[in-house]
Amino acid sequence: MTRADVIAIGLAAAAVGATYAHFWQPAMAATQFEVRIAGQPSGRYALDGNRDILVEGRLGPSRLRIENGRVRFIASPCRNKVCVHSGWLSHGGDAAACLPNRVSISLLGDAEASVDAVSF
Amino acid sequence: MPTPPSALTPDREDRLVAGFAALAIVIHVLEAGLPSPVPGVKPGLANVITLIVLLRHSLRLAVWVAGLRVLVGSLLVGSFMAPGFWLSAAGAVASLTVLALASLWNAARPSLRLSALGLSVLSALAHMSGQFAVAYGFFIPHPGLLRLLPPLLTAAFVFGLVTGAATVAILRHLPPAGPQRGARSAGPHPS
């Protein structure tokens, strides 16, 4: 191993470490979220302020709470409350749904791609 | 006895390219048979051949050998023109670019010369970065993919060290390169 090797490998290791620091930050925070009812987009809300939103689903109103840049279901007229147990959502790409009530929310980050993936 | 006239006579360099490319292709194909936990992660042992050709012969020959390996390797594996082929090609272009720059550096600064080990690590990282750029840019433009980059680069770094060490070991056992331009950069390096 030459001296240049030591320098190059050291720099390379530092660069790899830097990618961890850069790309493994907490996921990109979402800035807004979209509500869908029965698959149809019904509205977009900014993730700021603290407030509740009532969404009228098939069975009745689902209550969403926005707080500190996060959002969650806090009540829904369904049996198992899977949506409520999904808890707080704050990252782009996160989603929760109340299937019986046909209400779903998905969080949107700043980077929105037109396609998720291409497969062959 | 006069040799029959021929428009295409392979010279010594052509034979070298063919031989080394054949070796690299065999390694490439064998490696394609290894199961891999994540697509894109593999040892890259075929790069040993590229490095040996670069250090013992010339960058031009190394480009030929790597290009032929990617092309013929993909034909044999059946991935020609499939995404895997483009990833492979992008990786080869990126790593050869880095090797070209490193060769310029070695020529300009003989006192701070990179050996096969350093070259291997740099080219492995370039290879991974190149194929990741194509994967992210064309095939999977999803922000989630970026989270794979650090572990992929870590794998490339480790495998770069491994193939580099293998190259150093092999170079030590090879006889000095023949009277070839660029042979100066060959010989076994004190390490």
Side-chain angles (χ1 to χ4, degrees):
Chain A
M1 203 191 303
T2 65
R3 202 150 52 92
D5 282 345
V6 176
I7 297 170
I9 293 171
L11 286 177
V16 171
T19 63
Y20 278 98
H22 188 258
F23 291 112
W24 277 23
Q25 285 168 342
M28 296 151 230
T31 53
Q32 53 176 345
F33 68 98
E34 185 177 62
V35 176
R36 287 172 172 259
I37 302 172
Q40 300 303 314
S42 86
R44 283 190 179 192
Y45 302 88
L47 272 177
D48 53 8
N50 298 336
R51 59 207 157 103
D52 283 7
I53 295 170
L54 277 179
V55 180
E56 198 61 37
R58 202 179 57 164
L59 303 177
S62 288
R63 182 179 290 271
L64 307 174
R65 174 158 295 169
I66 302 172
E67 193 182 292
N68 303 329
R70 311 175 295 173
V71 62
R72 69 173 296 170
F73 278 88
I74 58 168
S76 199
C78 51
R79 211 150 49 94
N80 296 328
K81 311 289 183 202
V82 173
C83 51
V84 177
H85 292 304
S86 300
W88 290 107
L89 310 174
S90 55
H91 300 149
D94 284 352
C98 180
L99 294 185
N101 206 22
R102 311 223 39 201
V103 172
S104 69
I105 58 177
S106 51
L107 277 65
L108 308 169
D110 286 327
E112 242 199 298
S114 52
V115 291
D116 284 343
V118 182
S119 162
F120 294 82
Chain B
M1 217 195 310
T3 50
S6 164
L8 280 175
T9 322
D11 59 17
R12 177 172 176 275
E13 222 174 63
D14 294 335
R15 289 180 210 282
L16 276 174
V17 167
F20 279 120
L23 262 178
I25 289 162
V26 167
I27 297 174
H28 183 95
V29 170
L30 286 180
E31 222 177 48
L34 287 177
S36 157
V38 183
V41 174
K42 57 178 192 169
L45 286 172
N47 202 37
V48 170
I49 306 293
T50 312
L51 287 172
I52 288 176
V53 174
L54 173 72
L55 289 174
R56 286 174 61 90
H57 301 284
S58 67
L59 177 67
R60 206 169 64 81
L61 253 63
V63 170
W64 268 108
V65 168
L68 281 171
R69 164 173 66 79
V70 169
L71 179 68
V72 179
S74 75
L75 286 172
L76 288 176
V77 174
S79 66
F80 183 55
M81 290 292 173
F85 167 75
W86 295 112
L87 297 185
S88 208
V93 169
S95 87
L96 286 171
T97 306
V98 163
L99 286 179
L101 292 175
S103 301
L104 286 178
W105 170 267
N106 277 355
R109 294 289 181 85
S111 58
L112 259 184
R113 178 193 297 283
L114 286 159
S115 82
L117 194 61
L119 291 175
S120 174
V121 169
L122 293 182
S123 78
L125 287 178
H127 190 280
M128 185 57 84
S129 308
Q131 69 179 19
F132 189 89
V134 167
Y136 181 65
F138 293 97
F139 297 123
I140 314 176
H142 189 280
L145 193 68
L146 292 175
R147 311 199 120 216
L148 267 180
L149 185 56
L152 286 177
L153 284 176
T154 306
F157 180 76
V158 172
F159 285 133
L161 282 175
V162 171
T163 56
T167 311
V168 169
I170 293 172
L171 281 173
R172 204 174 288 146
H173 286 92
L174 287 176
Q180 179 95 13
R181 209 183 61 78
R184 283 169 291 112
S185 57
H189 298 282
S191 47

